[in-house]
Amino acid sequence: MVSSFNVQDAAGYEQLMGRWSRKLAPQFIGFSGIADGEKVLDVGCGTGSLTFELARNSRLKEIAAIDFSPVFVAAAKARNTDPRISIQQADACELPYQNGVFDRALAMLVLHFVPEAGKAVAEMRRVVRSRGVVAAVVWDHLGGMPGMRMMVDTVAALTEGGRQLRGRYCFQPMMQPGEMKTTFVEQGLQGVEEAELMIRMDYSNFDDYWAPIAAGEGPLGKYVMTLNSDERARTDSAVRAAYEAGQPDGPRSFANVAWAVRGIVP
């Protein structure tokens, strides 16, 4: 598997997305469900937002976490102090576990970066026991992330490269209504349910919003790093104007919607 996510630095990712993942994690766990004594797998753990939120439940028996990025794995390992948690680098499409060893396999904000997302769902099903649960959640880039769309639409108005970025960003895999649910059904999961989860992303000022992207984090940051100095200056100015919207710089709050799907292993 080749992940399509661009990782520069774990701290930069935390400012870009990790802090919002931590807000989403409790809702996703509530949707997925957990029970006493269970063994849970976190697929695509990143810096550990879901892993460490799961660990807040002292009655879970074991939490395993994998990520494709060595940067993320190192950061998550550095944070871990819980003996129930094991973290390793691995491929979501080739999970390093035997069949049926987990009660649940969860993937938070990862399947849209997996080129063969269906294969990853199949692997999650394989490692979960019969009647166990597979669940995943991804952002709705097209219609549910106005703060990020503000940036994407702004750069799309400036250059052809920006318009191409918008096309890629808005139509990543698993993000359209019903798309991830269909994939779960195709992989043989039963009782598949889809829901919408919502958090707010609260920024203190423009720099809080723009700094990790300007530093090259994530797919939007990867695009910014391709710009020459004149394009970069024009982009910085235009995105700032969009953020400020004619008012002084300062706090802004954006609602963000994610698609969540869960299914039961036959």
Side-chain angles (χ1 to χ4, degrees):
M1 180 194 81
V2 178
S3 171
S4 62
F5 191 83
N6 185 59
V7 182
Q8 297 287 333
D9 174 75
Y13 171 80
E14 279 292 305
Q15 187 177 3
L16 174 67
M17 191 54 62
R19 53 181 167 168
W20 313 127
S21 300
R22 288 194 296 276
K23 293 182 72 172
L24 183 63
Q27 291 189 43
F28 180 44
I29 292 170
F31 171 77
S32 306
I34 52 175
D36 292 359
E38 287 193 332
K39 298 170 64 175
V40 181
L41 173 63
D42 179 1
V43 177
C45 65
T47 53
S49 297
L50 178 60
T51 301
F52 297 119
E53 184 63 31
L54 285 165
R56 290 169 62 87
N57 185 322
S58 62
R59 295 181 299 276
L60 287 179
K61 181 179 180 180
E62 179 182 329
I63 304 162
I66 67 102
D67 200 278
F68 191 71
S69 165
V71 174
F72 285 159
V73 169
K77 283 185 173 182
R79 290 178 57 192
N80 184 36
T81 60
D82 192 322
R84 296 173 301 159
I85 296 174
S86 61
I87 304 166
Q88 63 176 304
Q89 185 180 3
D91 187 338
C93 294
E94 294 183 23
L95 294 173
Y97 306 105
Q98 296 180 353
N99 296 350
V101 293
F102 294 101
D103 298 291
R104 299 176 198 265
L106 313 181
M108 187 173 77
L109 307 180
V110 64
L111 288 186
H112 51 305
F113 293 114
V114 180
E116 296 180 281
K119 188 173 181 180
V121 173
E123 276 290 275
M124 292 169 71
R125 175 192 162 174
R126 179 185 65 77
V127 302
V128 170
R129 64 168 172 81
S130 178
R131 310 314 299 167
V133 172
V134 173
V137 62
V138 299
W139 293 124
D140 176 7
H141 279 184
L142 178 65
M145 295 193 78
M148 294 296 104
R149 276 298 302 270
M150 177 179 69
M151 179 271 191
V152 172
D153 288 339
T154 298
V155 301
L158 297 177
T159 66
E160 176 59 28
R163 287 185 283 278
Q164 293 177 10
L165 168 69
R166 180 169 61 183
R168 293 191 302 271
Y169 180 81
C170 290
F171 294 97
Q172 285 181 249
M174 302 292 106
M175 289 188 167
Q176 303 312 302
E179 183 180 2
M180 190 160 57
K181 181 178 181 180
T182 297
T183 298
F184 272 49
V185 172
E186 289 173 346
Q187 297 304 326
L189 292 159
Q190 298 178 344
V192 178
E193 301 177 61
E194 181 181 70
E196 297 176 28
L197 308 180
M198 194 275 284
I199 67 164
R200 297 199 73 89
M201 293 183 179
D202 301 306
Y203 299 95
S204 58
N205 52 37
F206 176 70
D207 285 341
D208 187 32
Y209 168 82
W210 183 239
I213 299 170
E217 289 298 332
L220 305 184
K222 184 178 181 180
Y223 165 77
V224 168
M225 298 303 286
T226 68
L227 302 177
N228 63 39
S229 58
D230 290 342
E231 292 170 333
R232 177 64 181 270
R234 190 164 70 251
T235 297
D236 289 356
S237 176
V239 175
R240 176 182 284 276
Y243 178 91
E244 294 178 353
Q247 299 297 313
D249 188 17
R252 301 290 189 272
S253 181
F254 302 97
N256 291 268
V257 176
W259 297 110
V261 174
R262 68 183 173 212
I264 298 170
V265 177

